[in-house]
């Protein structure tokens, strides 16, 4: 068996030897053996663990990557796999949200109006007018306002809500996402991002960047899965495949006679 020093592990990944010791301390890689003089010695198992951990960090972040490795190093394979599953589920939800927002933005920018704003230049709407436009109740719009999705102006004297072009855009987007099953807390974040971006045109560019980052995360998850599979194989904690899964299914026999 080939033994490695902390420096050997650190140099390959461009990290410090102290980082390697910290990863061992935090349970991300197994405990090292010690020489009689107290020096740490590592093996290919530790090298595979470090490969897996750093790949997991790139794919899932520090918290989830650390949780997965600590679970594996304490023999809890199911908890480790659950962390992987949650990461993939989150990526799938993010892709669904991205697609929904993309469709909503496309819908909003198809309408008439200068500078790609379908409601630019239109007169402000009352809460009743906007409710009829969306085929929802005024109470629904008040609820959206209460959670911070809509921020209509108030008329100085009467205090009545006044929904301008931007408010109508936000309401249209909210309506589309709600029909897609997205919670108001999530929609609030998306709407605020649109306001920060300065409109649907800037958001379209942001969505392209978001898609590229999701694709990069997916590729990182593929790499992490390969590294993690190698480490699990070295640990020997994976259950053996059942015979029915390892052997080809028998050929179907003749149909029964009746």
């Amino acid at each position: 068996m080939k033994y490695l020093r902390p420096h050997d592990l650190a140099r390959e990944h461009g990290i410090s030897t102290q980082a390697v010791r910290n990863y061992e301390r935090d349970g991300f890689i197994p405990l090292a053996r010690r020489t009689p003089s107290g020096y740490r010695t590592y093996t290919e198992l530790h090298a595979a663990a470090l490969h897996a951990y750093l790949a997991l960090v790139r794919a899932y972040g520090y918290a989830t990557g650390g949780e997965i490795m600590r679970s594996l190093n304490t023999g809890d394979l199911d908890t480790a796999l659950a962390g992987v599953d949650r990461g993939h589920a989150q990526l799938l939800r993010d892709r669904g949200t991205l697609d929904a927002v993309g469709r909503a933005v496309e819908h909003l920018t198809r309408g008439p109006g200068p500078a790609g704003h379908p409601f630019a230049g239109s007169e402000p709407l009352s809460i009743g007018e906007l409710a009829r436009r969306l085929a929802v109740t005024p109470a629904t719009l008040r609820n959206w306002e209460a959670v911070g999705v809509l921020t209509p102006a108030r008329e100085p004297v009467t205090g009545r809500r006044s929904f301008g072009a931007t408010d109508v855009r936000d309401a249209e987007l909210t309506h589309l996402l709600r029909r897609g099953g997205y919670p108001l807390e999530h929609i609030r974040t998306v709407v605020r991002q649109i306001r920060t971006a300065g409109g649907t045109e800037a958001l379209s560019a942001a969505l392209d960047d978001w898609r590229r980052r999701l694709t990069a995360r997916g590729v990182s998850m593929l790499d992490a899965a390969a590294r993690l599979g190698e480490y699990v194989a070295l640990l020997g904690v994976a259950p053996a495949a059942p015979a029915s899964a390892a052997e080809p299914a028998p050929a179907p026999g003749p149909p029964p006679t009746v």
Side-chain angles (χ1 to χ4, degrees), residues 4-17 19-20 23 29 42-58 62 223 227 230:
L4 305 169
R5 301 165 299 172
H7 176 72
D8 298 323
L9 293 182
R11 180 176 55 190
E12 180 180 358
H13 298 284
I15 59 179
S16 67
T17 55
V20 175
Y23 296 158
I29 65 175
Y42 299 105
T43 66
E44 64 176 359
L45 181 68
H46 298 89
L50 185 57
H51 276 296
Y53 171 65
L54 295 177
L56 287 168
V57 167
R58 289 190 292 271
Y62 285 98
D223 179 59
R227 298 289 188 180
E230 293 170 0

Side-chain angles (χ1 to χ4, degrees), residues 173-190:
L173 177 59
T174 301
H175 191 217
L176 287 169
L177 293 179
R178 285 296 285 163
R179 280 158 46 194
Y182 291 93
L184 286 176
E185 292 75 11
H186 194 109
I187 296 172
R188 178 178 58 201
T189 300
V190 172

